[in-house]
Amino acid sequence: MQIENTPTLTIEQAASGAGQSVMASGVWQVHALSQKGMLKGINRTLLALKKKPNLAWDLTGVASIDHIGAQLLWNAWGKKRPASLALDPRQEELFARIEKASHHTLPRTRVSPLNWIIVLGAGLLSFFEHLHGFVELIGRLIQDLGRFIRRPNTGPWREISANIYHSGFQALGITALVGFLIGVVLSYLSAQQLSQFGGDIYLVNILGMSVVRELGPLLAAILVAGRSGSSITAQLGVMKVTEELDAMLVMGISHGYRLIMPKVVALAISMPLLVVWTDAMALIGGMASAKIELGLSFRYFLHKLPDAVPLVNYIIGLLKGMTFGVLIALVSCHFGLRIKPNTESLGRGTTTSVVTAITVVILADAVFAIIFSGVGF
């Protein structure tokens, strides 16, 4: 029974001697074609027969055939009926459907010459929609902060403490490592240039000003945006997917008071501390590199640093850290609350949140540079 059901192709010489004919027999269904090595052998035979266009095909000996087997033969025929084809009446309807589907063409989509205007308009609408949602989020935050100040005994202290731990304390390791390495690299490259002009002593000025005023706050903010910002967006997104946010509304718990405000307050507190920590690690790395490259002692470096970097630069750095922390938290919460209840939106929203937070931080740093351009020098 297994041999009789095997799909086979037999090539015979036509009785008139005018050419060859191909006789198909057996069961041409998916369960027979899926036998080990069967489909590979049939494809090899059909590929050889495809080079002979004037063959006569006879499928009357086929016991049964489904759409898979018929499509296999149809593709071997070049997606058209051969000139000589003998079919069983039961097979005619199946091949007629395949032939009709082969001639079906999808409608051609027309692209409007003004498509760029449509894309630009959609982008502007999306931007203003995000801007409106962001301003609304800031308004809710101000209201929640007012409520928190009026009644601090009912405030979310535990949530604030937990967010400070996750966003601040657990980020000490990565910020210390990156800050130390950046200090080493900056000090090493600066020392190579300064040594050519005999300005070794000015390494303290370059390293101190660049780290304390710019690199320290910016590095800490970028690392926190990638680490804690993505975590905030993912957390709120998962709560949206699992309908936990809806459950909180049913229980009368405010999203802003219990979720958003603690994260903003926590980052506003922890970011200045991370800036001080990153500055210290970067300066330690710079001192180590200066000691190796230029022979500057640690005592000389620490003695010259207060004179090279006025105190107002530390204040500007701390102010940057607090501002960056608030912006990162707001951007992360904004995109987290806009996650749709599906996994694709969660991944795309988290990615967009991190990219937007880093962009906003760099823009805010540029604004700080313009406002305080004449301060601290």
Side-chain angles (χ1 to χ4, degrees):
M1 181 62 68
Q2 184 70 20
I3 297 176
E4 294 178 357
N5 291 338
T6 301
T8 57
L9 289 172
T10 306
I11 304 175
E12 298 180 352
Q13 191 69 28
S16 59
Q20 292 179 323
S21 63
V22 181
M23 304 284 294
S25 60
V27 176
W28 286 71
Q29 292 183 336
V30 65
H31 65 85
L33 293 169
S34 61
Q35 295 178 14
K36 185 176 181 181
M38 184 61 64
L39 189 60
K40 186 176 181 181
I42 290 177
N43 279 328
R44 191 184 305 113
T45 305
L46 290 174
L47 184 61
L49 295 175
K50 198 172 182 180
K51 301 176 183 178
K52 303 177 182 180
N54 297 325
L55 292 173
W57 290 80
D58 186 0
L59 305 186
T60 55
V62 174
S64 59
I65 187 171
D66 61 5
H67 190 276
I68 301 299
Q71 190 67 48
L72 196 64
L73 292 169
W74 185 260
N75 292 338
W77 296 339
K79 296 186 178 181
K80 61 181 181 180
R81 286 177 179 256
S84 177
L85 175 63
L87 294 175
D88 188 276
R90 295 172 299 176
Q91 303 166 358
E92 184 64 42
E93 182 182 356
L94 178 60
F95 281 98
R97 288 201 305 267
I98 294 177
E99 185 176 14
K100 183 178 180 181
S102 299
H103 296 308
H104 181 70
T105 56
L106 295 175
R108 184 178 179 183
T109 57
R110 296 182 59 187
V111 179
S112 173
L114 301 178
N115 186 61
W116 65 275
I117 298 180
I118 299 174
V119 174
L120 178 62
L124 289 175
L125 288 176
S126 177
F127 171 77
F128 284 112
E129 182 186 0
H130 280 284
L131 184 62
H132 175 268
F134 192 75
V135 173
E136 185 179 0
L137 185 64
I138 294 175
R140 290 182 188 175
L141 175 64
I142 294 174
Q143 290 180 341
D144 292 331
L145 286 174
R147 174 187 170 186
F148 181 49
I149 293 172
R150 288 194 306 270
R151 290 181 292 178
N153 57 328
T154 62
W157 293 104
R158 183 170 298 179
E159 289 85 349
I160 294 174
S161 176
N163 280 282
I164 290 176
Y165 174 77
H166 292 301
S167 302
F169 178 77
Q170 290 187 338
L172 291 177
I174 185 64
T175 51
L177 176 62
V178 174
F180 182 83
L181 294 177
I182 289 296
V184 170
V185 172
L186 184 62
S187 177
Y188 180 77
L189 294 178
S190 301
Q192 284 185 327
Q193 299 299 319
L194 291 173
S195 61
Q196 297 179 9
F197 304 99
D200 299 351
I201 59 175
Y202 295 107
L203 177 63
V204 181
N205 301 63
I206 295 175
L207 191 63
M209 285 294 292
S210 60
V211 168
V212 172
R213 189 180 177 107
E214 289 295 333
L215 287 180
L218 199 60
L219 278 176
I222 291 175
L223 291 173
V224 169
R227 182 187 176 278
S228 302
S230 61
S231 175
I232 292 172
T233 304
Q235 179 188 3
L236 293 177
V238 170
M239 294 181 72
K240 188 76 173 291
V241 172
T242 57
E243 299 181 352
E244 292 181 51
L245 296 180
D246 297 334
M248 290 179 64
L249 288 178
V250 171
M251 292 186 292
I253 301 175
S254 172
H255 294 166
Y257 196 67
R258 288 292 172 179
L259 292 177
I260 298 174
M261 189 193 70
K263 300 181 189 306
V264 175
V265 173
L267 277 179
I269 295 173
S270 58
M271 269 300 298
L273 301 178
L274 283 176
V275 168
V276 174
W277 173 255
T278 307
D279 290 347
M281 291 298 104
L283 291 175
I284 291 174
M287 285 191 294
S289 180
K291 175 68 175 177
I292 297 172
E293 187 70 16
L294 298 177
L296 296 179
S297 65
F298 294 160
R299 179 177 295 182
Y300 174 81
F301 200 101
L302 294 175
H303 177 72
K304 285 293 183 180
L305 187 61
D307 297 330
V309 184
L311 181 62
V312 68
N313 291 285
Y314 289 96
I315 299 175
I316 293 174
L318 295 178
L319 183 60
K320 280 185 178 182
M322 186 179 65
T323 305
F324 294 165
V326 171
L327 290 175
I328 291 169
L330 286 173
V331 170
S332 303
C333 292
H334 169 74
F335 283 98
L337 293 174
R338 296 176 69 88
I339 298 295
K340 297 179 181 178
N342 59 76
T343 54
E344 181 183 358
S345 177
L346 178 62
R348 185 170 59 249
T350 305
T351 304
T352 307
S353 169
V354 173
V355 173
T356 306
I358 294 175
T359 305
V360 169
V361 164
I362 295 175
L363 289 175
D365 186 64
V367 172
F368 268 98
I370 295 172
I371 294 176
F372 297 101
S373 59
V375 180
F377 296 100

